[in-house]
Amino acid sequence: MGTTVFERARPRDSIIDDALRKTRHATFWLDEIDRPSYPPLTASTRADLVIVGGGYVGLWTAVRAKERDPQRSVVVLEAARVGWAASGRNGGFCEASLTHGYENGMNRWPDEMDDLVRLGLENLDGIQESVERYGMDVDWERTGQLAVATEPHQIEWMEGDGFLDQDAVRAEVHSPTYLAGNWDRNGCAMIHPAKLAVELARVATELGVVIHEQSRVTGLSGSSAQTVTVQSGATVAADHVALATNVFPSLLKRNRLMTVPVYDYALMTEPLTAEQYDAIGWENRQGLADSANQFHYYRLSAGNRILFGGYDAVYHFGGKVRAEYENRPESFRRLASHFFTTFPQLEGLRFTHQWAGAIDSCSRFCAFFGTARGGRVAYATGFTGLGVGASRFAADVMLDELAGLDTERTRLEMVRTKPIPFPPEPAASIGVNLVRRSMDRADHNGGRRDLLLRTLDAVGMGFDS
């Protein structure tokens, strides 16, 4: 098996040790802001719409519901804190893509890909319009995303509109690992993830939404009107329910095997000095991602720190979401090593924060949708790490479905179809880890996919980042 640039140009252990010496295990985005709290649900009540989950999907659903009908009563129930999970821990790439990249969408829905691209861009424009209209402080920077090739076989993947050769891509961002690139200038904005969650909650409450934190939902019952029960025993009677629980176990048994939690890891540096910033260029502040199956994503914060995340995607036997899975020293060391391979000129820079989060992964690698209980319950889940922008689209789909509307969104094959479910354990763990091993082998073998990956491609479960 061959090597990648991250093995060929590995930094010294002492550089990694020094960079991680004083790193805190905490999510930078959540660590640096004040978050208002909302009271738990302690007394039973009723609402026109109950939303389960206080992340992006739930909060966008609340905002969009009140924009459609200001008189509608809306309650959001959050098990912990608003935006504490994936919505507060992600990389802050707010992308137009609804399909986890163009190739994934083309492989699955070629006949409607033009529409999906257009709808995705309209959705991103809509997010920007909301940010501006409501004065949302989210560090919005629509700088696009630059995909980079770090191995010779990846260069051809960069071809097309936006192509940058080696000199051009290194002029944008000064990394000796870059062999080519492709800059999508309009399809992605950088945001502060936790600020977006906090601001969506602010806007929702100003529109009249009631939010309850520390209100874990334990039951959903009813054949017509629905009763949502929280751990305190209090209930909300509702005409409609939107489920936005994502990586956490679904309240609908039918969806229990549709997603698995995969852990993603990230580092955040201390702020760059002016000299360090000059050393890497990056004047256009694009989001960056390399192009292997096991890929990195990285971006500048508003304060000129560098977030560097990805590569390892770890599934644990049993498919549980547990805090202890978030501290994985070997993943943080690997990220630090790959960071200094990418930017050797930043030797001496230290990481202040390290964290992880669970991604709601499904077999088609982008969100799926549906209804239950005679159309009174809607759900959207399975975003597989690309939900910052797509969460608003998902909110509109759920609201369309709950209203029984026939819209361009609800007519999409992407919306009407479901992914292939994962098998139960132990087959799920064996399968996920075999795929991971095959992807790693492909990255070390010129991108050539083995029999397992080709078979999964053929049945609609394959993925190429």
Side-chain angles (χ1 to χ4, degrees):
M1 193 161 64
T3 60
T4 71
V5 68
F6 300 107
E7 288 111 27
R8 295 191 298 271
R10 189 180 188 279
R12 300 188 309 275
D13 284 342
S14 60
I15 295 174
I16 300 169
D17 293 339
D18 184 61
L20 292 171
R21 197 176 309 280
K22 295 183 179 180
T23 306
R24 295 181 57 226
H25 188 80
T27 305
F28 169 79
W29 307 118
L30 296 169
D31 202 34
E32 76 153 358
I33 65 169
D34 294 325
R35 291 183 286 159
S37 60
Y38 298 90
L41 179 69
T42 56
S44 296
T45 186
R46 85 161 316 279
D48 297 324
L49 172 65
V50 171
I51 300 163
V52 182
Y56 294 153
V57 177
L59 294 170
W60 272 120
T61 304
V63 169
R64 299 294 284 164
K66 292 295 282 187
E67 288 177 339
R68 292 186 183 202
D69 180 3
Q71 302 308 311
R72 177 186 294 179
S73 58
V74 179
V75 171
V76 175
L77 300 175
E78 165 54 46
R81 298 287 307 280
V82 161
W84 75 277
S87 296
R89 305 182 189 209
N90 62 82
F93 287 64
C94 188
E95 297 190 40
S97 177
L98 304 174
T99 59
H100 211 135
Y102 187 82
E103 290 301 321
N104 189 50
M106 273 299 290
N107 289 338
R108 299 176 190 282
W109 306 288
D111 294 339
E112 62 187 29
M113 197 57 201
D114 287 347
D115 292 331
L116 288 167
V117 169
R118 173 180 52 80
L119 289 167
L121 285 168
E122 290 174 358
N123 181 66
L124 184 59
D125 290 342
I127 295 173
Q128 182 167 339
E129 190 274 333
S130 292
V131 167
E132 294 169 353
R133 173 155 49 107
Y134 294 117
M136 298 169 70
D137 175 17
V138 298
D139 298 344
W140 179 273
E141 296 182 88
R142 193 157 176 177
T143 50
Q145 183 170 194
L146 177 59
V148 297
T150 58
E151 299 294 333
H153 70 270
Q154 298 168 3
I155 295 173
E156 66 179 285
W157 301 347
M158 302 296 108
E159 295 173 354
D161 292 342
F163 176 78
L164 301 176
D165 64 15
Q166 178 173 294
D167 289 342
V169 72
R170 292 186 183 184
E172 284 295 324
V173 183
H174 308 334
S175 173
T177 65
Y178 297 169
L179 304 179
N182 190 292
W183 184 5
D184 175 1
R185 295 171 183 260
N186 191 46
C188 186
M190 297 295 103
I191 57 99
H192 186 302
K195 284 185 178 181
L196 179 58
V198 167
E199 287 289 81
L200 280 170
R202 173 186 66 81
V203 171
T205 56
E206 289 176 356
L207 292 173
V209 174
V210 176
I211 298 175
H212 293 290
E213 295 181 324
Q214 308 299 332
S215 300
R216 183 172 63 88
V217 172
T218 57
L220 174 64
S221 60
S223 55
S224 54
Q226 299 296 298
T227 300
V228 183
T229 305
V230 302
Q231 77 246 21
S232 68
T235 62
V236 185
D239 298 325
H240 294 105
V241 178
L243 299 180
T245 54
N246 297 326
V247 77
F248 297 97
S250 176
L251 292 168
L252 298 175
K253 189 177 294 185
R254 70 177 71 172
N255 286 339
R256 297 281 169 83
L257 294 177
M258 300 299 281
T259 63
V260 294
V262 175
Y263 277 81
D264 178 62
Y265 299 83
L267 297 171
M268 182 70 91
T269 73
E270 61 192 348
L272 302 181
T273 65
E275 293 77 15
Q276 289 168 330
Y277 197 174
D278 287 343
I280 60 171
W282 212 344
E283 293 181 1
N284 288 310
R285 304 180 63 83
Q286 313 96 323
L288 285 162
D290 51 36
S291 303
N293 292 298
Q294 298 177 109
F295 63 95
H296 309 89
Y297 55 87
Y298 39 119
R299 49 78 57 95
L300 291 162
S301 74
N304 289 338
R305 298 170 181 260
I306 299 176
L307 176 141
F308 196 81
Y311 198 80
D312 282 351
V314 181
Y315 174 77
H316 295 273
F317 183 89
K320 305 295 185 183
V321 179
R322 292 177 174 166
E324 57 262 35
Y325 295 156
E326 297 173 16
N327 193 2
R328 194 169 190 264
E330 60 267 42
S331 291
F332 297 126
R333 285 192 65 84
R334 187 173 294 113
L335 281 173
S337 174
H338 294 182
F339 177 89
F340 288 111
T341 296
T342 304
F343 296 123
Q345 65 271 48
L346 295 182
E347 179 180 337
L349 189 67
R350 292 186 172 180
F351 299 104
T352 59
H353 293 73
Q354 62 182 32
W355 71 91
I359 294 171
D360 58 329
S361 300
C362 74
S363 63
R364 74 182 199 179
F365 302 97
C366 60
F368 64 94
F369 314 88
T371 60
R373 311 282 174 86
R376 291 182 176 271
V377 176
Y379 58 85
T381 189
F383 293 87
T384 318
L386 209 73
V388 179
S391 58
R392 179 183 179 276
F393 179 83
D396 281 334
V397 169
M398 287 197 291
L399 291 170
D400 286 351
E401 291 183 328
L402 289 173
L405 298 177
D406 177 21
T407 67
E408 183 180 20
R409 284 182 291 263
T410 61
R411 288 192 295 271
L412 290 168
E413 184 184 356
M414 174 204 172
V415 168
R416 292 185 289 104
T417 57
K418 303 290 189 293
I420 299 170
F422 291 93
E425 296 289 13
S429 182
I430 293 170
V432 170
N433 288 307
L434 282 174
V435 169
R436 235 187 116 204
R437 188 174 68 179
S438 290
M439 285 184 164
D440 182 67
R441 186 181 295 116
D443 288 341
H444 288 80
N445 192 29
R448 290 183 286 275
R449 297 166 80 80
D450 64 13
L451 179 61
L452 174 60
L453 294 182
R454 294 196 304 272
T455 300
L456 292 174
D457 289 342
V459 300
M461 295 184 72
F463 178 65
D464 187 333
S465 66

